[in-house]
Amino acid sequence: MSFEEVKTRLDIAGQSHALRFWSELSAEERAVFLGELSELDAEELKDHCRVAAEAAKRASGDEERLDSRMEPVSPEFIGSVCKSDQETLKQWEDEGFLQISENKVAVLLLAGGQGTRLGVPYPKGMYNVGLPSGKTLYQIQAERIRKVQQLASEKYGSSCTVPWYIMTSEFTLEPTEKFFKENGYFDLDPSNIVMFEQRMIPAVSFDGKIILEKKNKIATAPDGNGGLYQALVDYKVLEDMESRGVQYLHVYCVDNILVKLADPVFIGFCVSKGADCGAKVVEKAYPAEPVGVVCRVDGVYQVVEYSEIRPETAEQRHPGGELMYSSGNICNHFFTRDFLREVAQKFQRQLKQHVAIKKVPFVDEEGNLVKPTKPNGIKMEKFVFDVFQFSKKFVAFEVKREDEFSPLKNADGAPVDTPTTVRRSLLSQHYHWALQAGAKFLDEHENPITPILRTSLDVDPPAICEISPLVSYFGEGLVKLLKEKNLKSPFLLNENNVKTLVQN
Ligand code: UTP
């Protein structure tokens, strides 16, 4: 596209200021900039900037409260790990493993975020949280995929594959690809790992103008994890799923160290209920906990943000004392491929745009880069869960937080969701698996360490024990390895020492 064409587009969109440094640019810089600007559609850009500025104005006032229109999830649409008997859980698990063994299940990772709160200059999945094994989040996830494939194959006697779809963004695609390659795809078959990229959209100033982060580059941000639905279309991902016979998707976030990929119990529950869309939830820790709540608004399922509910509603309880709105969303979803197709084809343009007010680095009138000290820009994001409203059969599945949810959001020093807290969650879980399997722990002087059954998540477990996902996916198979064994802390159970343990 020529300079004149681009200029006309920007004029139509009311954004001609983007070219104010044009005369200062080299031929090469101009070519790069023209390439970027040619991607923008004038009308879409105009709308985007207007909507962002209007939404930011509204957001600075009071949030709309939804209390009067809210109802909890109907009990018949909730499954629960805690409240179901062992036999029912086993039936769901068997069903899930069956679907996995028939190659009908894939996992889809949302890994396009910028991880600004954690603040590392590489994708969050590459973060090493300081486990004895030194594994990164990506490696832990890869190994859980390998293990769940193996368990399903053994159970139903046919080898199977759980393809791994990974949504990345301009920030995360290249380093993620490189990291996977350097690590031999963690011994997964690379043809079963499909990476694709979500779109980026311009950041906008409070007066509705796109922001320049360089003289020849507009500031953009990924379009939120709800950008998934557009990306599925852009990269023909649903067609790829179809060609592999995948019918069910487990969609999850990169930062939850406890995530059970393709969890057979969750998949089995959703499939048994005939659901097209499902959400794993954890019980809210306390009424004011700042997590989104899965509930109905005007009879339609959705996630309501904490800020949209009054404290008195958040504190409402059932006669038995349980919180009425207790289903905390943990960004861990089940979708059928058919449902995703319907959303991608019919509904994704209707998805709500959420406003995030951020500090966006920009170039000033003299062309100097400025890192603002207070928020100056608007980023618009779509959320993956905003499609619940389109579901014909929505279910929720309540799981135990200590078993399944511990996200890495912040750098150490913050009170919650840090490398320290996620490491502790994983190590506490593995310590308990080992105790339940009959292991005993010794300290460095070979003295017994007194076992503590449920340690608080605020302190480290009394002994350090890490169990590779390649040995155990959810605590299974450990009795034969660990019963009556004295394990010296720190203890790392992996595929290399399994044989020795069996022999002793
Ligand atoms: P968060 O909302 O926690 O964002 O993402 P983040 O990027 O990880 O961290 P901050 O807010 O910048 O500190 C939840 C999940 O959604 C993905 C993230 O990668 C994470 O798995 N995500 C987020 C996307 O895939 N794309 C996006 O545009 C935003």
Side-chain angles (χ1 to χ4, degrees):
M1 194 175 280
S2 69
F3 171 76
E4 278 66 34
E5 283 169 300
V6 165
K7 185 170 178 324
T8 311
R9 280 193 187 188
L10 289 173
D11 287 344
I12 295 172
Q15 304 294 332
S16 33
H17 67 287
L19 292 170
R20 68 185 188 277
F21 297 110
W22 186 257
S23 61
E24 300 174 29
L25 301 178
S26 67
E28 206 179 313
E29 288 168 334
R30 285 181 176 183
V32 173
F33 201 20
L34 264 194
E36 185 186 25
L37 294 172
S38 306
E39 306 262 306
L40 300 171
D41 175 275
E43 289 304 326
E44 272 180 22
L45 181 62
K46 191 173 167 187
D47 275 0
H48 170 70
C49 294
R50 180 183 51 79
V51 168
E54 284 172 10
K57 264 189 213 126
R58 278 200 306 275
S60 53
D62 267 355
E63 292 279 350
E64 187 198 0
R65 303 292 180 149
L66 299 172
D67 307 59
S68 59
R69 295 155 52 200
M70 281 169 54
E71 288 166 277
V73 181
S74 325
E76 68 269 31
F77 297 131
I78 305 192
S80 164
V81 162
C82 299
K83 294 177 196 142
S84 306
D85 55 52
Q86 286 307 314
E87 199 184 318
T88 310
L89 290 172
K90 176 82 174 52
Q91 277 168 8
W92 291 334
E93 186 181 298
D94 288 350
E95 177 65 39
F97 272 131
L98 177 66
Q99 301 299 338
I100 294 169
S101 75
E102 293 179 349
N103 298 311
K104 290 186 189 154
V105 179
V107 289
L108 195 157
L109 165 61
L110 303 168
Q114 291 172 284
T116 45
R117 284 169 288 173
L118 183 62
V120 290
Y122 51 81
K124 229 190 241 186
M126 287 165 54
Y127 196 83
N128 167 354
V129 301
L131 292 167
S133 65
K135 285 177 190 171
T136 59
L137 295 173
Y138 281 148
Q139 181 169 357
I140 295 170
Q141 293 168 24
E143 293 185 354
R144 291 198 185 128
I145 294 177
R146 286 171 58 195
K147 187 64 177 177
V148 84
Q149 288 178 163
Q150 183 202 334
L151 292 173
S153 300
E154 284 169 5
K155 192 171 173 68
Y156 288 97
S158 57
S159 93
C160 63
T161 301
V162 174
W164 194 3
Y165 294 93
I166 304 181
M167 182 173 82
T168 59
S169 64
E170 190 179 289
F171 295 104
T172 59
L173 178 62
E174 236 180 78
T176 299
E177 274 179 341
K178 188 159 167 269
F179 189 67
F180 273 61
K181 205 163 171 198
E182 281 167 2
N183 285 282
Y185 298 91
F186 307 105
D187 287 330
L188 285 162
D189 180 344
S191 68
N192 295 323
I193 301 177
V194 180
M195 293 190 198
F196 57 102
E197 208 178 330
Q198 68 181 107
R199 290 190 182 182
M200 304 287 288
I201 45 175
V204 177
S205 64
F206 296 131
D207 55 356
K209 300 289 176 198
I210 51 179
I211 297 173
L212 287 185
E213 69 175 31
K214 282 189 201 166
K215 288 181 182 176
N216 71 331
K217 182 158 182 24
I218 51 181
T220 56
D223 55 354
N225 58 24
L228 169 66
Y229 307 104
Q230 178 67 55
L232 291 177
V233 177
D234 290 347
Y235 288 85
K236 299 197 176 355
V237 180
L238 293 165
E239 287 75 355
D240 183 275
M241 291 172 185
E242 194 170 353
S243 71
R244 295 169 191 262
V246 169
Q247 288 185 23
Y248 307 115
L249 276 303
H250 175 217
V251 175
Y252 69 99
C253 289
V254 71
D255 48 27
N256 177 11
I257 196 167
L258 300 180
V259 64
K260 287 162 79 172
L261 289 100
D263 175 13
V265 185
F266 180 44
I267 303 283
F269 167 74
C270 294
V271 172
S272 310
K273 297 286 171 198
D276 55 6
C277 173
K280 253 192 197 180
V281 295
V282 295
E283 197 178 337
K284 264 174 82 170
Y286 52 96
E289 190 185 9
V291 293
V293 167
V294 178
C295 62
R296 284 177 293 166
V297 176
D298 298 332
V300 174
Y301 282 99
Q302 73 173 63
V303 175
V304 170
E305 295 298 335
Y306 175 69
S307 54
E308 296 171 318
I309 315 176
R310 290 199 174 81
E312 49 278 28
T313 306
E315 275 160 27
Q316 275 180 333
R317 290 180 189 271
H318 288 297
E322 295 159 337
L323 284 179
M324 191 170 273
Y325 295 103
S326 66
S327 300
N329 181 46
I330 57 170
C331 195
N332 194 319
H333 307 308
F334 166 92
F335 297 118
T336 61
R337 192 189 75 223
D338 289 344
F339 176 70
L340 287 179
R341 179 175 302 285
E342 193 166 47
V343 170
Q345 285 176 348
K346 288 203 225 152
F347 300 124
Q348 59 115 344
R349 290 197 163 258
Q350 297 174 28
L351 286 188
K352 185 172 165 187
Q353 302 254 12
H354 298 259
V355 184
I357 307 290
K358 303 260 179 175
K359 292 178 207 157
V360 182
F362 64 98
V363 285
D364 64 14
E365 287 308 314
E366 282 73 50
N368 303 312
L369 181 68
V370 182
K371 288 202 169 157
T373 48
K374 27 180 228 235
N376 61 323
I378 312 159
K379 290 183 179 177
M380 300 296 278
E381 292 190 327
K382 292 176 184 160
F383 292 162
V384 70
F385 56 69
D386 275 335
V387 299
F388 294 175
Q389 57 177 314
F390 307 119
S391 161
K392 293 191 186 74
K393 181 79 190 272
F394 176 86
V395 290
F397 191 64
E398 191 176 282
V399 296
K400 287 192 205 157
R401 185 186 293 245
E402 65 269 29
D403 286 342
E404 303 212 22
F405 184 55
S406 180
L408 176 62
K409 299 284 184 196
N410 305 308
D412 268 327
V416 290
D417 304 339
T418 62
T420 300
T421 62
V422 302
R423 183 172 63 243
R424 191 177 280 152
S425 306
L426 189 92
L427 293 176
S428 297
Q429 181 181 60
H430 291 186
Y431 168 73
H432 285 104
W433 286 355
L435 279 193
Q436 275 161 2
K440 296 182 178 123
F441 285 94
L442 306 177
D443 66 16
E444 70 269 35
H445 309 296
E446 313 257 323
N447 294 323
I449 299 176
T450 312
I452 302 182
L453 259 177
R454 257 302 168 197
T455 49
S456 147
L457 284 180
D458 297 333
V459 288
D460 288 327
I464 302 292
C465 170
E466 182 187 349
I467 300 176
S468 163
L470 296 173
V471 175
S472 184
Y473 174 90
F474 42 42
E476 82 292 346
L478 295 176
V479 175
K480 67 176 188 297
L481 299 173
L482 301 182
K483 192 161 191 244
E484 305 291 327
K485 295 276 161 56
N486 287 315
L487 310 177
K488 200 159 148 193
S489 172
F491 176 72
L492 176 58
L493 176 58
N494 59 28
E495 14 5 321
N496 302 325
N497 60 2
V498 156
K499 282 207 187 86
T500 333
L501 278 166
V502 177
Q503 280 154 13
N504 292 336

